[in-house]
């Protein structure tokens, strides 16, 4: 029984911000392009982004992309690649202006320009004082951006395959990428998408943790597919814990709240961030604020009956600012925390939020891997952008508002380089390998035939508990070593999950089982990579090695699925046009 | 712990000759606050129960369904507020693919039909197009739509003519672009709606306003478009 094949010049997997920005380049270029998304594009998790998108427009205060670059390098704790960081920060103003021209409904200043608010870690004069760099549409910036990009794609007649889930990456004998397999969810049929170039823009994987700001669909499918196809994952030990997830619910309260003047209080009513970060206070970078909050709780100054959260106070901003600039936050606080922030503070805890690691790429969006002595040899035909990619601009800790920027800058860059590649190097399709759909069909058949296995929900919960307890805000060697063992055991169990629903039409039990395969790869990568890194850097806070060790550890980690082994590769210290920013101690 | 009773619309085209209602009973845990929390738990018991969901915070528009007779989002509905048995059905008026999952093709077709993007063919300035805070305010209550379809699928005019009447969500979007000072296609947009069905099938029944989970007001937007039509006629 042959699997039907559909042919496109380019296939994009993902209809979030990164996928849609890339799609626009490709559709407008006239190349035959398919965009696959497992949800209708505007349901992608970019829609949930709240606070803003960074660009040194200087609409409120003096600003320069070089300052933005400095902040991003420092925020990354010197693990970010300085060529990619330069590229992103230099392109930021034009990328945001372009979004405005596309129709994005940014808030405005009195003079009609785009409104900008302060955000953690963004400063003037390389760390001196906070700067208003986050371009915002109220606290719905992601929604405004995603809908605008979707609308622009409607204009460009982009061909979408909505509710099609990509299952596996197809590589030929040379290791080149020639397509993907995908499941049409409505019918349950499997297809092969044969392409000259494939872009992954599949987003994050926060669902490896039990408490996360991420949507249910954030299961890191692109990373799972990459690992199964023999490609490495970069810097997977670095997960960002956002300081202000609603305690108990996990739903995010944007850092923009603190940008607008909100403050964190402990049980004594003390504004404790003044003690940890005398300069930036509540607007220090996220890794730093999250650790400070955890310390407050560990030292007994947490709030509530179990002393396990801190409070985010914003009533002093007054109802006008709250209703105008933070209306969505007020709604979330009322719905998910049961408090109206106009009157009462919101209980918050650090919550898993963002994956700094991902599929290794360069600033062109090309996926790279070690080959024949070159640590960054191009994987022909394969591109990645957005949260699933590691360019690496965020290094060991991402600055708020730099992700939305990453999506549009690298989405566009990847799109442009795909066009060049397809037009310049690929007059024709490379043949599909024999049995290209074999591995996907085997996964489906396994689920159809499995009896007596564990439920998907049960194994998923076991995975989440392991990652949550072994790879949290503070880590230590003994705990991570246990985590590596435990996750290996959970991964074994995942091979035998059982679903009772064996039907074909929109079988969500099946898609959840297939998603679990991806989550497990990422959970394993996270623990193995975390266990491997013997220093503290950015989001990786190692109790047994409390300091950053640039001599031995200023390098990217690479996790390989086969043998679950680690390799390392150098950080790019050479920017494209400006001087190298050498490492310094990170204080705020 | 309280037990809660459900009656849920079930239909699997591969197995069922016709749809039926299935009863469930479930113990509520301390974390089962939103309706979505509870139906996720039901799914862990019975994995054949099918529905869409993603963000679980009312922003993606995936989990719109008919809850005790009224359209809404499961993820922001408090279970404690619902009378029992909690009756869940797919959004009315659209073809059912399976259980609570409907085929939204017609809904999106109508959205696409109003050209949902800023049309501005003037040369692009180097910087942003300026817009005063007051001009920008005109977009509030319009741009926040999450395309959940709660409104259009509660609108009798849309039920009868889903292929001809744009429906509240699409018309709200149409007005979002008319109201945008950066858009230059107002008259083209009005032409596009000047038709006995596309706009004028709205009989101001207001169901749409009543159900919108984002508290938007499509009826007001529709009224403004009608005003513009009238103004243009004289
Ligand atoms: C609550 C919240 C608030 C945030 N706020 C901000 C902010 O203010 N500023 C900022 O810069 N960043 C913010 N972030 C981070 C930022 O929003 C995300 O990193 C970013 O939106 C990810 O975009 P993406 O395009 O990479 O992926 P997503 O938007 O997650 O899209 C992924 C796409 O891939 C598709 N997909 C996935 N797997 C498959 C598959 N197997 N087959 C087919 N399709 C698939 C999905 O359907 C979806 O279309 C926030 C994050 C969260 C969680
Ligand atoms: S007011 Fe108009 S659009 Fe809204 S429900 Fe009634 S008829 Fe439909
Ligand atoms: S107007 Fe409201 S109900 Fe209608 S689609 Fe938009 S958000 Fe949903
Ligand atoms: S799950 Fe996204 S709106 Fe309810």
């Amino acid at each position: 029984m042959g699997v039907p094949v559909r042919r496109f010049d380019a296939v994009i997997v993902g209809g979030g911000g990164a996928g849609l920005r890339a799609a626009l380049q490709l559709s407008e270029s006239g190349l035959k392009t398919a965009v696959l998304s497992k949800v209708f594009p505007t349901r992608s998790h970019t829609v949930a982004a709240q606070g803003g998108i960074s660009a040194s427009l200087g609409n409120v205060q003096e600003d320069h992309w070089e300052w933005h670059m400095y902040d991003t390098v420092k925020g990354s704790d010197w693990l970010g690649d300085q060529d990619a960081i330069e590229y992103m920060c230099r392109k930021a103003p034009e990328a945001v202006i372009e979004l405005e021209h596309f129709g994005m409904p940014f808030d405005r200043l009195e003079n009609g320009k785009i409104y900008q608010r302060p955000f953690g870690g963004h400063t003037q004069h390389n760390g001196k004082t906070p700067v208003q760099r986050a371009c915002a549409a109220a606290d719905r910036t992601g929604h405004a951006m995603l809908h605008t990009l979707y609308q622009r794609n409607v204009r460009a007649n982009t061909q979408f395959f909505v509710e099609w889930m990509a299952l596996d990456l197809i590589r030929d004998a040379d290791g080149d990428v020639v397509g993907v397999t995908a499941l049409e969810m409505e019918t349950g049929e499997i297809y092969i998408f044969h392409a000259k170039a494939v872009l992954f823009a599949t987003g994050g994987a926060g669902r490896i943790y039990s408490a996360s700001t991420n949507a249910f669909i954030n299961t890191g499918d692109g990373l799972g597919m990459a690992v199964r196809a023999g490609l490495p994952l970069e810097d997977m030990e670095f997960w960002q814990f956002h300081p202000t997830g609603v305690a108990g619910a996990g739903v995010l309260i944007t850092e923009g709240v603190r940008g607008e003047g909100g403050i964190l209080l402990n049980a004594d009513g003390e504004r404790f961030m003044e003690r940890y970060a005398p300069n930036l206070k509540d607007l220090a970078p996220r890794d730093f604020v999250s650790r400070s909050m955890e310390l407050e709780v560990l030292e007994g100054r947490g709030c509530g009956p179990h002393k396990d959260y801190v409070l985010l106070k914003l009533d002093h901003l007054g109802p006008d600012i709250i209703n105008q600039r933070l209306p969505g936050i007020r709604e979330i606080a009322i719905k998910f925390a049961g408090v109206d922030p106009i009157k009462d503070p919101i209980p918050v805890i650090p919550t898993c939020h963002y994956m700094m690691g991902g599929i290794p790429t360069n600033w062109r969006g090309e996926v790279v891997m070690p080959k024949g002595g070159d640590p960054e040899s191009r994987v022909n035909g394969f591109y990645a952008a957005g949260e699933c990619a590691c360019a690496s601009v965020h290094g060991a800790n991402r600055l708020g508002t730099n992700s939305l920027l990453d999506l549009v800058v690298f989405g566009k860059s990847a799109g442009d380089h795909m066009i060049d590649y397809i037009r310049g190097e690929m007059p024709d399709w490379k043949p599909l390998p024999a049995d290209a759909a074999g591995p996907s069909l085997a996964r489906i058949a396994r689920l159809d035939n499995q009896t007596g296995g564990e439920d998907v929900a049960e194994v998923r919960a076991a995975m989440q508990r392991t990652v949550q307890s072994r790879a949290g805000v503070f880590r230590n060697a003994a705990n991570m070593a246990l985590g590596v063992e435990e996750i290996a055991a959970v991964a074994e169990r995942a091979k035998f999950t059982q679903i009772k629903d064996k039907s074909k039409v929109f079988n969500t039990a099946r898609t959840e089982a297939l998603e679990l395969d991806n989550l497990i790869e990422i959970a394993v990568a996270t623990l193995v990579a975390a266990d491997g890194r013997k220093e503290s850097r950015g989001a990786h806070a190692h109790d047994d090695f409390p300091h950053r060790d640039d001599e031995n550890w200023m390098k990217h980690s690479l996790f390989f699925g086969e043998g679950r082994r680690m390799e390392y590769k150098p950080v790019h210290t050479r920017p494209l046009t400006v001087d190298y920013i050498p490492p310094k101690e990170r204080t705020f | 712990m309280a037990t809660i009773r459900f009656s849920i619309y079930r239909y699997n085209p591969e197995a069922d000759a016709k749809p039926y209602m299935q009863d469930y009973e479930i113990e509520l845990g301390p974390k089962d606050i939103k309706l979505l929390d509870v139906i996720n738990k039901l799914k862990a018991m019975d994995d054949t129960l099918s529905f869409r969901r993603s963000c679980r915070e009312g922003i993606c528009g995936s989990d719109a369904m008919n809850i005790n007779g009224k359209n809404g989002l499961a993820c922001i509905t408090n279970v404690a507020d619902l009378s029992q048995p909690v009756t869940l059905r797919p959004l009315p008026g659209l073809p059912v693919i399976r259980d609570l999952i409907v085929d939204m093709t017609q809904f999106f077709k109508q959205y696409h039909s109003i050209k949902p993007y800023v049309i501005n063919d003037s040369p692009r300035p180097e910087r942003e197009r300026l817009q005063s805070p007051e001009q920008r305010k005109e977009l509030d209550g319009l741009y926040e739509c999450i395309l959940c379809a709660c409104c259009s699928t509660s609108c009798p005019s849309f039920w009868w003519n889903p292929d001809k009447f744009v429906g509240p969500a699409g018309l709200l979007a149409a007005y979002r672009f008319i109201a945008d000072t950066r858009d230059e296609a107002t008259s083209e947009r009005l032409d596009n709606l000047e038709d006995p069905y596309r706009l004028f099938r709205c009989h101001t029944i207001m169901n749409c306003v009543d159900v919108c989970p984002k508290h938007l007001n499509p009826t007001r937007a529709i009224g403004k478009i009608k005003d513009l039509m009238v103004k243009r006629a004289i």
Side-chain angles (χ1 to χ4, degrees), chain A residues 92-111:
Chain A
E94 100 188 32
V96 168
I97 296 296
E98 180 184 71
L99 286 169
E100 195 282 328
H101 292 168
F102 287 171
M104 183 163 159
F106 284 107
D107 284 2
R108 299 292 171 150
L109 297 159
E110 281 306 324
N111 63 13

Side-chain angles (χ1 to χ4, degrees), chain A residues 14-15 17-18 37-38 44-46 51-52 166 221 252 353-354 387 401 403-404:
Chain A
S37 177
K38 61 179 178 176
S44 307
H45 205 49
T46 296
D221 297 355
L252 181 82
H353 180 59
Y354 184 85
E387 190 166 339
T401 69
S403 174
L404 291 185

Side-chain angles (χ1 to χ4, degrees), chain A residues 55-60 92-116 135-136, chain B residues 120 123-132 181-182:
Chain A
S56 57
L57 294 178
N59 283 356
V60 184
E94 100 188 32
V96 168
I97 296 296
E98 180 184 71
L99 286 169
E100 195 282 328
H101 292 168
F102 287 171
M104 183 163 159
F106 284 107
D107 284 2
R108 299 292 171 150
L109 297 159
E110 281 306 324
N111 63 13
K113 293 185 180 175
I114 294 171
Y115 169 75
Q116 299 187 277
C135 310
Chain B
N120 184 324
R124 275 202 202 164
E126 204 151 290
R127 292 283 306 213
E128 61 261 59
R129 295 201 159 98
L130 299 181
Q131 197 169 46
S132 72
T181 51
R182 298 169 296 179

Side-chain angles (χ1 to χ4, degrees), chain B residues 61 64 73 107 141-142 144-152 168-170 172-173 208-209 211-218:
Chain B
L73 300 175
F107 173 79
L142 303 172
E144 304 93 323
C145 172
I146 59 174
L147 299 176
C148 65
C150 281
C151 56
S152 296
L172 182 90
C208 52
V209 183
V211 296
C212 175
K214 303 313 278 182
H215 313 296
L216 309 179
N217 190 331

Side-chain angles (χ1 to χ4, degrees), chain A residues 108 150-151 163 212 505, chain B residues 14 52 56 98 112 116 129:
Chain A
R108 299 292 171 150
Y150 177 70
Q151 291 159 354
E163 298 183 328
S212 167
V505 173
Chain B
E14 288 166 78
R52 295 187 176 102
R56 60 84 178 85
R98 177 177 181 174
H112 294 159
R129 295 201 159 98

Side-chain angles (χ1 to χ4, degrees), chain A residues 240-485:
Chain A
Q240 177 161 81
F241 283 76
H242 195 292
T244 55
V246 172
V251 179
L252 181 82
I253 301 291
T254 175
E255 191 170 292
V257 168
R258 282 169 287 139
E260 296 288 342
I263 55 174
L264 294 165
L265 302 177
N266 62 21
D268 304 332
E270 181 203 8
R271 184 181 181 189
F272 57 88
M273 281 313 299
E274 292 183 324
R275 238 188 304 124
Y276 295 96
N279 254 335
L280 298 186
K281 303 191 177 83
D282 299 275
L283 285 179
R286 292 179 177 169
D287 57 333
F288 201 84
V289 178
S290 285
R291 280 195 292 277
S292 308
M293 290 167 65
E294 289 258 322
L295 283 174
E296 289 300 298
V297 168
L298 288 172
E299 289 169 9
R301 290 186 296 277
C303 307
H306 306 294
K307 294 177 160 297
D308 55 357
Y309 56 79
V310 303
L311 291 171
L312 176 62
K313 174 181 147 62
L314 60 156
D315 58 314
H316 56 283
L317 304 181
D320 288 350
I321 292 281
I322 294 177
N323 286 327
Q324 189 192 341
R325 301 274 185 226
L326 306 165
I329 288 306
R330 183 171 177 216
E331 210 176 306
I332 285 175
I334 293 172
K335 292 218 166 86
F336 290 94
V339 299
D340 183 348
I342 287 187
K343 289 178 267 161
D344 296 304
I346 311 171
V348 290
I349 47 167
T351 306
C352 168
H353 180 59
Y354 184 85
M355 172 175 79
M356 267 76 75
I359 302 168
T361 66
N362 56 28
W363 63 267
R364 295 182 205 91
E366 296 163 345
V367 175
V368 293
M369 73 182 291
K371 192 175 168 189
D374 176 2
E376 306 208 329
S377 159
R378 185 179 83 176
V379 179
N380 290 325
F382 195 27
Y383 297 76
E387 190 166 339
C388 75
C390 184
S392 150
V393 281
H394 310 302
N397 171 64
R398 173 177 74 92
L399 292 188
T401 69
N402 267 356
S403 174
L404 291 185
L405 177 62
D406 166 356
L407 307 185
V408 285
V409 169
F410 293 108
K412 181 173 185 207
S413 178
D416 283 338
H417 288 96
M418 286 169 83
I419 294 168
D420 289 349
Y421 173 74
I422 292 168
R423 294 231 159 100
E425 299 181 44
M426 292 292 288
D428 212 343
W429 284 264
K430 285 190 86 180
L432 288 165
D435 202 24
S440 300
L441 294 175
R443 288 171 69 207
I444 301 277
R446 206 276 294 161
L447 285 169
D448 283 345
N449 300 324
Q450 183 79 40
T451 50
E454 272 183 283
D455 287 345
V456 170
E458 227 166 90
V459 178
R460 187 173 53 211
M463 169 203 67
Q464 290 172 334
R465 277 194 303 273
T466 304
V467 179
Q468 187 81 26
S469 60
R470 305 296 182 199
V473 172
F474 287 108
R475 302 168 172 187
N476 66 63
N479 204 22
M480 285 186 285
L482 277 175
V484 171
E485 272 175 39

Side-chain angles (χ1 to χ4, degrees), chain A residues 216, chain B residues 36 52-64 73-76 146:
Chain A
F216 288 115
Chain B
L36 182 61
R52 295 187 176 102
R53 86 283 179 270
S54 179
C55 73
R56 60 84 178 85
E57 57 180 83
I59 189 72
C60 76
S62 297
D63 61 343
L73 300 175
C75 62
I76 53 171
I146 59 174

